[in-house]
Amino acid sequence: MTSTASSAPLKEQAQDLLAQLTGAPEARFHPGQFEAIEALVEHRRRALVIQRTGWGKSAVYFISALLLRRQGSGPALIVSPLLALMRDQVQAAARAGVRAAMVNSSNVTEWAAIRADLAAGELDVLLVGPERLNNPDFRQNWLPELVRACGLLVIDEAHCISDWGHDFRPDYRRIRDLIANLPAGVPVLATTATANERVVEDVAEQLAIQQGGQAGPDSVFILRGPLSRDSLRLGVLHLPTATDRLGWLATHLGSLPGSGIIYTLTVAAAEDTAAALRAAGYPVLPYSGKTDADERAEAEEALKENRVKALVATSALGMGFDKPDLGFVIHLGAPSSAVAYYQQVGRAGRGAIKADVLLMPGREDREIWEYFATASMPTPENTGAVLAALRQASSAGQELTVPALETRVDVKRSSLDLLLKVLAVEGAVERAERGWVATGAPWHYDAPRYERVLQARLREQQAMLDYQRTSTCRMVFLAQELDDTTAQPCGICDVCAGPWYPSGLDPALTAQAGITLNRTGVEIEPRAMWPSGLGSLVSEATVDHGKPLGGRIALQERAQAGRALARLTDLGWGNRLREIFAPGPDGSPLDGPVPADLGRASLQVLADWDWEQRPVAVVGLPSPVRPALASSLARGLAAAGKLTDLGDMEWVKEPEHFGGNSVFRCAGVLGAYRLPDRVQEYLASSPGPVLLVTDRIDSRWSSTVVARMLRKAGATAVLPYALAITH
């Protein structure tokens, strides 16, 4: 940097950098942008900026970073939540002459070179994901030097800090400790476009943390702008069925402006919708947490370059995706809060671009909200079990990996990962070199706080339902949910100006969509490996010569690929199956003979099944929850297919740990079933493929263990079939 530039007034320097950043010499700051830069660079403040998407928050921290570098400060450290966001920011920084790099799981081979550039003072900005703050190697080998040299700390998407926010991420809680350890005088910037007043207060309180104590949230510079977006034309279209919603898309997607995003609530819905729209001739791609990382990056580029009409995405495509000319956002199913909805639709209508935003809610939305809410909420039983296991191991000098911990606590892997993060950021456990350990710090389950969070979630869900029925301007409604009271009626939404979207459906396209949604048959992939640590739970889990079960399941003892009528999360048959598997009015399971429509659909699955050899017999896998449903399905399929009906497997005991993690589920199934004599006698004299029938498959361990028993008794193949598979 030249001495002339360094000695120029701060606003003049900032204006020059803005011109470089935007590539427009005539560019001027939006109201509040320079004030935020001044607070950081001139006064070394801690600042929280709440501004709508597209306002230019990244310009604030890039320009501030360069100005602080001119003054001799070290590089800026930016904590950013998503790979897509990091990639975009690194590219934007390079265009502005900012020397930036990112450290995350996608570029491990570049880390050594990045550390060398940092040591040589060759970087202005380093972006890291919040999960790095929970990585022992990063905390030990990177973080001390980064904290010592840091010239500016930026927390992007700062609403993730708060467990009151719609997108709370436990790893973000570690930022509180990072802020507290910063040297005096290092400015801190937190930015977000989606924060109501409760989240703002929580984030400001954490920003105020300082070495030796807390200065108080009043010490934080808060810049809050209007959140209403006059570039978005909002609407809600109520259609009775998933087929109708998909038929509307197939009919009208081509008339929507430019390219855009179609959001769904589940992975299955994203895949099904993408398949149906491709069948209708539209160039679309699915995008979810299941999509391979390289394929996700390619899909993002395809949308940015308008090579596809839309990405059909889950919330995995959210914060940080930047396409200035995104023309529309459609939701098939409503997010669980108006704040989350605002965040997703904020991808569109940036700058001078107008965009259409349409919500098509589904009757299954509430069930999906409840599933995700209960899956992510720690319970006293789970947290207590995890802490007890880690404390016991730590007292013996042991570190427990997640698979090892699974053999000691009956908690699903996804919930276990979340629990460990929560306990880690609250200081009760920590990741060591070889696994997890208890710290010995006192900790208690904060039931009142979790109850308050739960009630906040329920209020958010109700607000989303109210949004669908509101007689208030939809943009005003969303802004008020973010505690912005300045919004004025937009004049263009379907409440202000009447429906702007067509409601008619092309019968042929809708029928085709229905065929796609209502297709029968989902493959059930057979398990190929025993869960690690199984022998420590079940002593009788042995194979020949007393060797404990472990490693790969022998091919000659393995089930074949099975079939289910549908996933419970599917849009088509999934809706019908959720009715069957829903609890009754008193909360107890509904049970009874298989309904005729599900029986006919099951026969269609069997007719379409491309098995190498037709089964010779049917064996029922009894259900501990809906025995009549499972048994009647097995009997009906045997009769309709003219297959030998060998009856049901016999209980030795009901499987334990229903709903627990993989190793406990497997251990609970081992020893739970016995082959009836008639089955053994039949297979001994007439070996052949066996159709193994049950109502629902979740962990796949019951079908895996029983398949092994049938194969050892003489079945040449075991073909599992169920009405539903959970995922």
Side-chain angles (χ1 to χ4, degrees), residues 1-52:
M1 302 297 177
T2 65
S3 58
T4 302
S6 299
S7 61
L10 183 67
K11 189 164 188 177
E12 182 180 324
Q13 295 183 57
Q15 188 65 58
D16 289 343
L17 290 173
L18 178 65
Q20 293 179 35
L21 189 68
T22 60
E26 70 282 1
R28 294 294 180 267
F29 286 113
H30 297 310
Q33 279 184 309
F34 178 71
E35 288 77 4
I37 293 169
E38 185 178 41
L40 296 166
V41 178
E42 188 77 20
H43 306 296
R44 307 297 174 102
R45 296 283 302 276
R46 299 196 172 179
L48 172 58
V49 173
I50 309 104
Q51 294 283 358
R52 60 193 173 195

Short mmCIF file of all heavy atoms in Angstrom, two decimals, residues 1-52:
data_model
loop_
_atom_site.label_atom_id
_atom_site.label_comp_id
_atom_site.label_asym_id
_atom_site.label_seq_id
_atom_site.Cartn_x
_atom_site.Cartn_y
_atom_site.Cartn_z
N MET A 1 0.84 -1.18 0.00
CA MET A 1 0.00 0.00 0.00
C MET A 1 0.89 1.25 0.00
O MET A 1 1.90 1.31 0.69
CB MET A 1 -0.92 0.01 1.24
CG MET A 1 -1.82 -1.23 1.33
SD MET A 1 -2.98 -1.34 -0.06
CE MET A 1 -3.78 -2.90 0.29
N THR A 2 0.48 2.24 -0.76
CA THR A 2 1.27 3.45 -0.85
C THR A 2 1.07 4.32 0.36
O THR A 2 0.02 4.31 1.01
CB THR A 2 0.89 4.26 -2.10
OG1 THR A 2 -0.47 4.71 -1.94
CG2 THR A 2 0.97 3.41 -3.36
N SER A 3 2.08 5.12 0.70
CA SER A 3 1.94 6.01 1.84
C SER A 3 0.87 7.05 1.58
O SER A 3 0.21 7.52 2.50
CB SER A 3 3.29 6.69 2.13
OG SER A 3 3.73 7.40 0.98
N THR A 4 0.68 7.44 0.30
CA THR A 4 -0.36 8.41 -0.02
C THR A 4 -1.73 7.86 0.33
O THR A 4 -2.56 8.53 0.94
CB THR A 4 -0.31 8.76 -1.52
OG1 THR A 4 0.97 9.27 -1.83
CG2 THR A 4 -1.38 9.79 -1.86
N ALA A 5 -1.99 6.58 -0.05
CA ALA A 5 -3.27 5.97 0.26
C ALA A 5 -3.46 5.85 1.76
O ALA A 5 -4.54 6.10 2.30
CB ALA A 5 -3.36 4.59 -0.39
N SER A 6 -2.37 5.52 2.47
CA SER A 6 -2.49 5.31 3.90
C SER A 6 -2.75 6.60 4.65
O SER A 6 -3.33 6.60 5.73
CB SER A 6 -1.21 4.65 4.44
OG SER A 6 -1.02 3.40 3.83
N SER A 7 -2.29 7.73 4.09
CA SER A 7 -2.46 9.00 4.78
C SER A 7 -3.74 9.72 4.37
O SER A 7 -4.08 10.74 4.97
CB SER A 7 -1.25 9.91 4.50
OG SER A 7 -1.16 10.18 3.10
N ALA A 8 -4.46 9.22 3.36
CA ALA A 8 -5.71 9.85 2.94
C ALA A 8 -6.77 9.65 4.01
O ALA A 8 -6.70 8.71 4.80
CB ALA A 8 -6.17 9.24 1.62
N PRO A 9 -7.76 10.53 4.06
CA PRO A 9 -8.85 10.35 5.03
C PRO A 9 -9.48 8.97 4.89
O PRO A 9 -9.54 8.40 3.79
CB PRO A 9 -9.83 11.46 4.66
CG PRO A 9 -9.00 12.48 3.98
CD PRO A 9 -7.93 11.73 3.26
N LEU A 10 -9.97 8.45 6.01
CA LEU A 10 -10.49 7.08 6.03
C LEU A 10 -11.61 6.89 5.02
O LEU A 10 -11.63 5.89 4.30
CB LEU A 10 -10.99 6.74 7.44
CG LEU A 10 -11.49 5.30 7.63
CD1 LEU A 10 -10.34 4.32 7.49
CD2 LEU A 10 -12.16 5.15 8.99
N LYS A 11 -12.53 7.83 4.93
CA LYS A 11 -13.65 7.64 4.00
C LYS A 11 -13.17 7.63 2.56
O LYS A 11 -13.69 6.87 1.73
CB LYS A 11 -14.69 8.73 4.21
CG LYS A 11 -15.97 8.45 3.41
CD LYS A 11 -17.14 9.28 3.88
CE LYS A 11 -18.43 8.84 3.19
NZ LYS A 11 -19.62 9.58 3.67
N GLU A 12 -12.15 8.43 2.26
CA GLU A 12 -11.62 8.45 0.89
C GLU A 12 -10.96 7.11 0.56
O GLU A 12 -11.15 6.57 -0.54
CB GLU A 12 -10.61 9.59 0.76
CG GLU A 12 -10.03 9.75 -0.64
CD GLU A 12 -9.03 10.90 -0.71
OE1 GLU A 12 -9.27 11.92 -0.02
OE2 GLU A 12 -8.02 10.76 -1.42
N GLN A 13 -10.18 6.57 1.52
CA GLN A 13 -9.57 5.26 1.30
C GLN A 13 -10.65 4.19 1.11
O GLN A 13 -10.54 3.33 0.22
CB GLN A 13 -8.69 4.88 2.49
CG GLN A 13 -7.47 5.75 2.71
CD GLN A 13 -6.65 5.23 3.87
OE1 GLN A 13 -6.23 4.07 3.87
NE2 GLN A 13 -6.43 6.07 4.88
N ALA A 14 -11.66 4.24 1.97
CA ALA A 14 -12.73 3.25 1.88
C ALA A 14 -13.46 3.35 0.55
O ALA A 14 -13.82 2.33 -0.05
CB ALA A 14 -13.69 3.43 3.05
N GLN A 15 -13.69 4.58 0.08
CA GLN A 15 -14.39 4.77 -1.19
C GLN A 15 -13.59 4.19 -2.35
O GLN A 15 -14.14 3.55 -3.25
CB GLN A 15 -14.65 6.26 -1.42
CG GLN A 15 -15.54 6.58 -2.60
CD GLN A 15 -16.95 6.07 -2.41
OE1 GLN A 15 -17.62 6.43 -1.45
NE2 GLN A 15 -17.41 5.22 -3.32
N ASP A 16 -12.28 4.40 -2.32
CA ASP A 16 -11.43 3.83 -3.37
C ASP A 16 -11.49 2.30 -3.37
O ASP A 16 -11.54 1.66 -4.43
CB ASP A 16 -9.98 4.29 -3.17
CG ASP A 16 -9.78 5.76 -3.48
OD1 ASP A 16 -10.66 6.36 -4.14
OD2 ASP A 16 -8.76 6.32 -3.04
N LEU A 17 -11.47 1.72 -2.16
CA LEU A 17 -11.53 0.26 -2.07
C LEU A 17 -12.89 -0.26 -2.53
O LEU A 17 -12.98 -1.33 -3.13
CB LEU A 17 -11.24 -0.19 -0.64
CG LEU A 17 -9.79 -0.01 -0.18
CD1 LEU A 17 -9.66 -0.32 1.30
CD2 LEU A 17 -8.85 -0.90 -0.99
N LEU A 18 -13.96 0.51 -2.25
CA LEU A 18 -15.28 0.10 -2.72
C LEU A 18 -15.32 0.06 -4.24
O LEU A 18 -15.90 -0.86 -4.84
CB LEU A 18 -16.35 1.06 -2.19
CG LEU A 18 -17.78 0.77 -2.64
CD1 LEU A 18 -18.27 -0.55 -2.09
CD2 LEU A 18 -18.71 1.91 -2.22
N ALA A 19 -14.70 1.04 -4.89
CA ALA A 19 -14.66 1.05 -6.35
C ALA A 19 -13.92 -0.18 -6.88
O ALA A 19 -14.33 -0.79 -7.87
CB ALA A 19 -14.00 2.33 -6.84
N GLN A 20 -12.82 -0.56 -6.20
CA GLN A 20 -12.08 -1.76 -6.62
C GLN A 20 -12.94 -3.02 -6.40
O GLN A 20 -12.96 -3.91 -7.24
CB GLN A 20 -10.79 -1.89 -5.80
CG GLN A 20 -9.76 -0.81 -6.07
CD GLN A 20 -8.52 -1.01 -5.20
OE1 GLN A 20 -8.12 -2.14 -4.91
NE2 GLN A 20 -7.93 0.09 -4.77
N LEU A 21 -13.62 -3.07 -5.28
CA LEU A 21 -14.40 -4.24 -4.93
C LEU A 21 -15.55 -4.48 -5.90
O LEU A 21 -15.83 -5.60 -6.31
CB LEU A 21 -14.94 -4.09 -3.50
CG LEU A 21 -15.62 -5.30 -2.87
CD1 LEU A 21 -14.62 -6.40 -2.59
CD2 LEU A 21 -16.32 -4.90 -1.57
N THR A 22 -16.21 -3.40 -6.28
CA THR A 22 -17.36 -3.52 -7.16
C THR A 22 -17.00 -3.43 -8.64
O THR A 22 -17.82 -3.79 -9.49
CB THR A 22 -18.37 -2.41 -6.84
OG1 THR A 22 -17.75 -1.12 -7.05
CG2 THR A 22 -18.86 -2.51 -5.40
N GLY A 23 -15.78 -2.93 -8.94
CA GLY A 23 -15.42 -2.70 -10.33
C GLY A 23 -16.17 -1.54 -10.94
O GLY A 23 -16.24 -1.41 -12.16
N ALA A 24 -16.73 -0.66 -10.09
CA ALA A 24 -17.52 0.49 -10.55
C ALA A 24 -16.99 1.75 -9.89
O ALA A 24 -17.23 1.96 -8.69
CB ALA A 24 -19.00 0.28 -10.22
N PRO A 25 -16.28 2.61 -10.62
CA PRO A 25 -15.73 3.84 -10.02
C PRO A 25 -16.80 4.73 -9.40
O PRO A 25 -16.51 5.49 -8.47
CB PRO A 25 -15.04 4.53 -11.21
CG PRO A 25 -14.77 3.43 -12.18
CD PRO A 25 -15.89 2.47 -12.04
N GLU A 26 -18.04 4.64 -9.90
CA GLU A 26 -19.10 5.51 -9.41
C GLU A 26 -19.82 4.93 -8.19
O GLU A 26 -20.75 5.55 -7.64
CB GLU A 26 -20.13 5.76 -10.51
CG GLU A 26 -21.00 4.57 -10.90
CD GLU A 26 -20.31 3.55 -11.80
OE1 GLU A 26 -19.11 3.75 -12.12
OE2 GLU A 26 -20.97 2.56 -12.18
N ALA A 27 -19.42 3.75 -7.72
CA ALA A 27 -20.11 3.10 -6.60
C ALA A 27 -20.05 3.96 -5.34
O ALA A 27 -19.03 4.61 -5.06
CB ALA A 27 -19.49 1.73 -6.33
N ARG A 28 -21.12 3.94 -4.60
CA ARG A 28 -21.20 4.68 -3.35
C ARG A 28 -21.72 3.74 -2.25
O ARG A 28 -22.46 2.80 -2.52
CB ARG A 28 -22.12 5.90 -3.47
CG ARG A 28 -21.58 6.97 -4.42
CD ARG A 28 -20.30 7.59 -3.86
NE ARG A 28 -19.75 8.62 -4.75
CZ ARG A 28 -18.82 8.38 -5.69
NH1 ARG A 28 -18.37 7.14 -5.87
NH2 ARG A 28 -18.37 9.36 -6.43
N PHE A 29 -21.37 4.06 -1.03
CA PHE A 29 -21.80 3.23 0.09
C PHE A 29 -23.29 3.33 0.32
O PHE A 29 -23.89 4.41 0.18
CB PHE A 29 -21.07 3.64 1.38
CG PHE A 29 -19.63 3.23 1.43
CD1 PHE A 29 -18.62 4.18 1.41
CD2 PHE A 29 -19.29 1.89 1.52
CE1 PHE A 29 -17.29 3.80 1.47
CE2 PHE A 29 -17.96 1.50 1.57
CZ PHE A 29 -16.95 2.46 1.54
N HIS A 30 -23.91 2.18 0.68
CA HIS A 30 -25.28 2.20 1.16
C HIS A 30 -25.31 2.85 2.54
O HIS A 30 -24.30 2.84 3.26
CB HIS A 30 -25.84 0.78 1.27
CG HIS A 30 -25.92 0.05 -0.03
ND1 HIS A 30 -26.49 0.59 -1.16
CD2 HIS A 30 -25.49 -1.20 -0.39
CE1 HIS A 30 -26.43 -0.28 -2.15
NE2 HIS A 30 -25.81 -1.37 -1.72
N PRO A 31 -26.43 3.40 2.93
CA PRO A 31 -26.52 3.97 4.28
C PRO A 31 -26.12 2.95 5.33
O PRO A 31 -26.64 1.83 5.36
CB PRO A 31 -28.01 4.35 4.39
CG PRO A 31 -28.44 4.61 2.99
CD PRO A 31 -27.67 3.62 2.16
N GLY A 32 -25.18 3.33 6.17
CA GLY A 32 -24.73 2.46 7.25
C GLY A 32 -23.45 1.73 6.95
O GLY A 32 -22.75 1.31 7.89
N GLN A 33 -23.09 1.52 5.69
CA GLN A 33 -21.89 0.74 5.38
C GLN A 33 -20.62 1.42 5.90
O GLN A 33 -19.81 0.80 6.58
CB GLN A 33 -21.78 0.50 3.87
CG GLN A 33 -22.62 -0.64 3.35
CD GLN A 33 -22.39 -0.89 1.87
OE1 GLN A 33 -22.44 0.05 1.06
NE2 GLN A 33 -22.14 -2.13 1.51
N PHE A 34 -20.45 2.70 5.57
CA PHE A 34 -19.23 3.35 6.03
C PHE A 34 -19.23 3.51 7.54
O PHE A 34 -18.18 3.41 8.18
CB PHE A 34 -19.04 4.72 5.37
CG PHE A 34 -17.81 5.42 5.88
CD1 PHE A 34 -16.54 4.97 5.53
CD2 PHE A 34 -17.91 6.50 6.77
CE1 PHE A 34 -15.41 5.58 6.04
CE2 PHE A 34 -16.78 7.11 7.28
CZ PHE A 34 -15.51 6.65 6.91
N GLU A 35 -20.41 3.75 8.13
CA GLU A 35 -20.48 3.88 9.58
C GLU A 35 -19.99 2.61 10.26
O GLU A 35 -19.30 2.67 11.30
CB GLU A 35 -21.91 4.19 10.01
CG GLU A 35 -22.38 5.60 9.68
CD GLU A 35 -22.74 5.79 8.20
OE1 GLU A 35 -22.71 4.79 7.44
OE2 GLU A 35 -23.07 6.93 7.83
N ALA A 36 -20.33 1.44 9.70
CA ALA A 36 -19.84 0.18 10.26
C ALA A 36 -18.33 0.06 10.09
O ALA A 36 -17.61 -0.37 11.00
CB ALA A 36 -20.55 -0.99 9.60
N ILE A 37 -17.83 0.43 8.90
CA ILE A 37 -16.38 0.39 8.65
C ILE A 37 -15.65 1.31 9.62
O ILE A 37 -14.62 0.95 10.21
CB ILE A 37 -16.09 0.79 7.19
CG1 ILE A 37 -16.63 -0.27 6.23
CG2 ILE A 37 -14.60 1.01 6.97
CD1 ILE A 37 -16.64 0.15 4.77
N GLU A 38 -16.19 2.49 9.81
CA GLU A 38 -15.58 3.46 10.72
C GLU A 38 -15.54 2.92 12.15
O GLU A 38 -14.54 3.08 12.87
CB GLU A 38 -16.35 4.77 10.66
CG GLU A 38 -15.74 5.90 11.46
CD GLU A 38 -16.54 7.18 11.33
OE1 GLU A 38 -17.79 7.10 11.36
OE2 GLU A 38 -15.94 8.25 11.20
N ALA A 39 -16.63 2.29 12.58
CA ALA A 39 -16.67 1.74 13.94
C ALA A 39 -15.58 0.69 14.14
O ALA A 39 -14.96 0.60 15.21
CB ALA A 39 -18.04 1.14 14.22
N LEU A 40 -15.32 -0.10 13.10
CA LEU A 40 -14.32 -1.16 13.20
C LEU A 40 -12.90 -0.63 13.08
O LEU A 40 -12.02 -0.98 13.87
CB LEU A 40 -14.57 -2.21 12.11
CG LEU A 40 -15.89 -3.00 12.20
CD1 LEU A 40 -16.15 -3.74 10.89
CD2 LEU A 40 -15.87 -3.97 13.37
N VAL A 41 -12.66 0.21 12.08
CA VAL A 41 -11.29 0.62 11.75
C VAL A 41 -10.84 1.80 12.61
O VAL A 41 -9.73 1.80 13.14
CB VAL A 41 -11.20 0.98 10.25
CG1 VAL A 41 -9.79 1.46 9.90
CG2 VAL A 41 -11.57 -0.22 9.40
N GLU A 42 -11.70 2.78 12.75
CA GLU A 42 -11.32 4.00 13.48
C GLU A 42 -11.41 3.79 14.99
O GLU A 42 -10.55 4.23 15.74
CB GLU A 42 -12.23 5.16 13.07
CG GLU A 42 -11.83 6.51 13.62
CD GLU A 42 -10.64 7.11 12.87
OE1 GLU A 42 -10.38 6.70 11.72
OE2 GLU A 42 -9.99 7.99 13.46
N HIS A 43 -12.49 3.10 15.42
CA HIS A 43 -12.76 3.01 16.86
C HIS A 43 -12.55 1.62 17.44
O HIS A 43 -12.71 1.44 18.64
CB HIS A 43 -14.19 3.48 17.14
CG HIS A 43 -14.49 4.85 16.60
ND1 HIS A 43 -13.86 5.99 17.05
CD2 HIS A 43 -15.34 5.26 15.61
CE1 HIS A 43 -14.31 7.04 16.39
NE2 HIS A 43 -15.21 6.63 15.50
N ARG A 44 -12.21 0.66 16.59
CA ARG A 44 -11.93 -0.71 17.02
C ARG A 44 -13.07 -1.27 17.88
O ARG A 44 -12.87 -1.88 18.92
CB ARG A 44 -10.60 -0.79 17.78
CG ARG A 44 -9.41 -0.20 17.04
CD ARG A 44 -9.13 -0.97 15.76
NE ARG A 44 -8.10 -0.36 14.94
CZ ARG A 44 -6.83 -0.80 14.88
NH1 ARG A 44 -6.47 -1.85 15.58
NH2 ARG A 44 -5.96 -0.20 14.09
N ARG A 45 -14.31 -1.07 17.41
CA ARG A 45 -15.49 -1.48 18.15
C ARG A 45 -15.83 -2.94 17.88
O ARG A 45 -15.31 -3.59 16.97
CB ARG A 45 -16.70 -0.62 17.72
CG ARG A 45 -16.59 0.86 18.04
CD ARG A 45 -16.85 1.14 19.49
NE ARG A 45 -18.16 0.71 19.94
CZ ARG A 45 -19.29 1.42 19.81
NH1 ARG A 45 -19.26 2.61 19.21
NH2 ARG A 45 -20.43 0.98 20.29
N ARG A 46 -16.76 -3.42 18.65
CA ARG A 46 -17.43 -4.68 18.36
C ARG A 46 -18.79 -4.32 17.78
O ARG A 46 -19.53 -3.54 18.39
CB ARG A 46 -17.55 -5.52 19.62
CG ARG A 46 -16.15 -5.83 20.16
CD ARG A 46 -16.11 -6.92 21.15
NE ARG A 46 -14.73 -7.25 21.43
CZ ARG A 46 -14.36 -8.18 22.29
NH1 ARG A 46 -15.29 -8.87 22.94
NH2 ARG A 46 -13.09 -8.43 22.50
N ALA A 47 -19.08 -4.87 16.62
CA ALA A 47 -20.25 -4.42 15.86
C ALA A 47 -21.11 -5.59 15.44
O ALA A 47 -20.59 -6.66 15.09
CB ALA A 47 -19.81 -3.62 14.64
N LEU A 48 -22.41 -5.37 15.46
CA LEU A 48 -23.38 -6.34 14.96
C LEU A 48 -24.19 -5.65 13.87
O LEU A 48 -24.85 -4.64 14.13
CB LEU A 48 -24.30 -6.81 16.08
CG LEU A 48 -25.50 -7.68 15.68
CD1 LEU A 48 -25.05 -8.93 14.94
CD2 LEU A 48 -26.32 -8.06 16.91
N VAL A 49 -24.12 -6.19 12.66
CA VAL A 49 -24.81 -5.61 11.51
C VAL A 49 -25.92 -6.55 11.07
O VAL A 49 -25.65 -7.69 10.69
CB VAL A 49 -23.83 -5.35 10.35
CG1 VAL A 49 -24.58 -4.92 9.10
CG2 VAL A 49 -22.81 -4.30 10.75
N ILE A 50 -27.16 -6.07 11.17
CA ILE A 50 -28.32 -6.84 10.72
C ILE A 50 -28.90 -6.12 9.52
O ILE A 50 -29.52 -5.06 9.65
CB ILE A 50 -29.40 -6.97 11.82
CG1 ILE A 50 -28.78 -7.47 13.13
CG2 ILE A 50 -30.50 -7.92 11.37
CD1 ILE A 50 -28.61 -6.40 14.16
N GLN A 51 -28.64 -6.65 8.35
CA GLN A 51 -29.09 -6.02 7.12
C GLN A 51 -29.56 -7.09 6.15
O GLN A 51 -29.04 -8.20 6.14
CB GLN A 51 -27.96 -5.20 6.47
CG GLN A 51 -27.49 -4.00 7.27
CD GLN A 51 -28.43 -2.82 7.19
OE1 GLN A 51 -29.45 -2.87 6.49
NE2 GLN A 51 -28.11 -1.74 7.89
N ARG A 52 -30.49 -6.73 5.31
CA ARG A 52 -31.07 -7.68 4.38
C ARG A 52 -30.02 -8.19 3.39
O ARG A 52 -29.01 -7.53 3.11
CB ARG A 52 -32.23 -7.04 3.64
CG ARG A 52 -31.85 -5.81 2.85
CD ARG A 52 -33.09 -5.06 2.40
NE ARG A 52 -32.75 -3.79 1.77
CZ ARG A 52 -33.62 -2.83 1.56
NH1 ARG A 52 -34.88 -2.98 1.93
NH2 ARG A 52 -33.25 -1.71 0.98
#
